[in-house]
Amino acid sequence: MSISENIGKIKKTIKTDTILVVVSKKQSNENILAAYQSGQRNFGENQVQELVKKEKDLPKDIKWHMIGHLQRNKVKYIASFIHLIHSIDSINLLIEVDKRAKQNHRIIDCLLQVHIAEEENKFGFEIHEVSKILEKSYMLPNVNIVGLMGMATFSQDQLKIQSEFARLSRLFIKIKNNQIKILSMGMSGDYKLAIKQGSNMIRVGSSIFGKRN
Ligand SMILES: *Cc1c(COP(=O)(O)O)cnc(C)c1O
């Protein structure tokens, strides 16, 4: 199936108000343009260098999402254009984003990444830390926390994945308000489960483009 057919298939299974972020890491400009031409505008990358190059080369109305671990010293390269940072995992990173947003006369939308997986190697705040981080974020005028992001354990165990998504969803429901509206969870392997648990933003790569090298 073609890239646009794959996108069509996914769009059919999600609600119209669920945002599909097409994860374009390691994809050629040609592949990205195929998705763009089928109407997609939200694209996600996980490496700053790759993201900066693609932003230069590709259409200017693309909304770029940073979905991977972000180092503080690299925020400056994306601050002028980034649409949404999904991967805020420390207060110091948030302070740096605020500083660079200010230099660019912008307010940058961010999600707090929450650690819900069993695996130690996934980044993010613990659930109990989130309210404190939110409070601190109100002191930073050039960042807006607009929601939460989480990744489930990489596993075949549907019940486990479902319960991890449910934990994040419960937290989201608790803190949700006029500004906090986005729950980013679900990838190729688990976006259907994520949507059942209340996700309204999914990040999908390999189901659209095929397996990455
Ligand atoms: C790569 C990646 C995705 C997409 O993964 P697929 O399994 O290819 O859909 C989603 N979220 C994050 C944070 C990623 O790094």
Side-chain angles (χ1 to χ4, degrees):
M1 287 223 288
S2 71
I3 288 170
S4 74
E5 284 170 328
N6 290 339
I7 289 172
K9 220 174 95 184
I10 294 166
K11 293 289 266 186
K12 246 188 237 163
T13 69
I14 65 179
K15 288 193 231 116
T16 49
D17 57 354
T18 301
I19 295 175
L20 170 61
V21 178
V22 177
V23 175
S24 51
K25 61 190 186 197
K26 298 202 170 74
Q27 300 299 330
S28 64
N29 288 351
E30 191 187 358
N31 278 355
I32 296 173
L33 283 171
Y36 178 88
Q37 274 144 17
S38 80
Q40 297 309 301
R41 292 296 179 270
N42 290 281
F43 288 85
E45 291 283 333
N46 69 341
Q47 284 190 352
V48 167
Q49 205 179 359
E50 194 177 334
L51 173 55
V52 167
K53 183 160 186 352
K54 285 174 176 168
E55 193 273 336
K56 275 205 192 91
D57 294 344
L58 288 161
K60 291 301 164 207
D61 62 342
I62 287 180
K63 295 171 178 167
W64 290 104
H65 296 240
M66 179 62 194
I67 63 172
H69 182 60
L70 178 58
Q71 289 175 302
R72 269 191 293 165
N73 60 2
K74 296 195 175 160
V75 174
K76 56 179 177 283
Y77 303 117
I78 62 171
S80 65
F81 67 84
I82 196 73
H83 175 70
L84 179 63
I85 299 174
H86 292 230
S87 44
I88 298 297
D89 59 3
S90 76
I91 189 68
N92 287 334
L93 175 59
L94 194 62
I95 290 168
E96 176 68 13
V97 173
D98 179 68
K99 172 181 156 187
R100 299 299 179 180
K102 188 171 183 189
Q103 287 174 351
N104 285 277
H105 312 287
R106 299 187 65 206
I107 295 173
I108 296 181
D109 285 345
C110 296
L111 305 179
L112 299 180
Q113 183 171 350
V114 181
H115 181 246
I116 52 170
E118 198 172 73
E119 293 131 323
E120 279 298 321
N121 61 356
K122 293 210 167 136
F123 294 99
F125 296 107
E126 297 304 318
I127 283 185
H128 67 86
E129 295 177 298
V130 165
S131 62
K132 207 165 58 195
I133 302 298
L134 272 178
E135 257 169 53
K136 288 186 180 165
S137 76
Y138 300 135
M139 262 100 84
L140 304 170
N142 291 78
V143 290
N144 268 344
I145 304 295
V146 296
L148 302 174
M149 183 273 247
M151 274 189 279
T153 302
F154 186 72
S155 158
Q156 294 303 318
D157 184 345
Q158 306 286 298
L159 273 178
K160 182 199 213 36
I161 296 170
Q162 189 177 314
S163 82
E164 290 172 354
F165 284 152
R167 282 179 70 217
L168 188 59
S169 187
R170 280 196 295 274
L171 173 64
F172 177 67
I173 288 165
K174 249 190 250 168
I175 65 171
K176 161 177 186 211
N177 60 26
N178 278 341
Q179 183 185 297
I180 300 174
K181 292 178 177 167
I182 298 176
L183 180 56
S184 167
M185 58 182 200
M187 323 187 353
S188 291
D190 57 20
Y191 72 86
K192 288 177 187 150
L193 275 178
I195 286 170
K196 277 198 192 133
Q197 296 301 324
S199 167
N200 56 22
M201 182 175 277
I202 59 174
R203 311 175 309 271
V204 181
S206 45
S207 287
I208 293 171
F209 297 113
K211 264 216 176 99
R212 282 178 297 274
N213 308 317

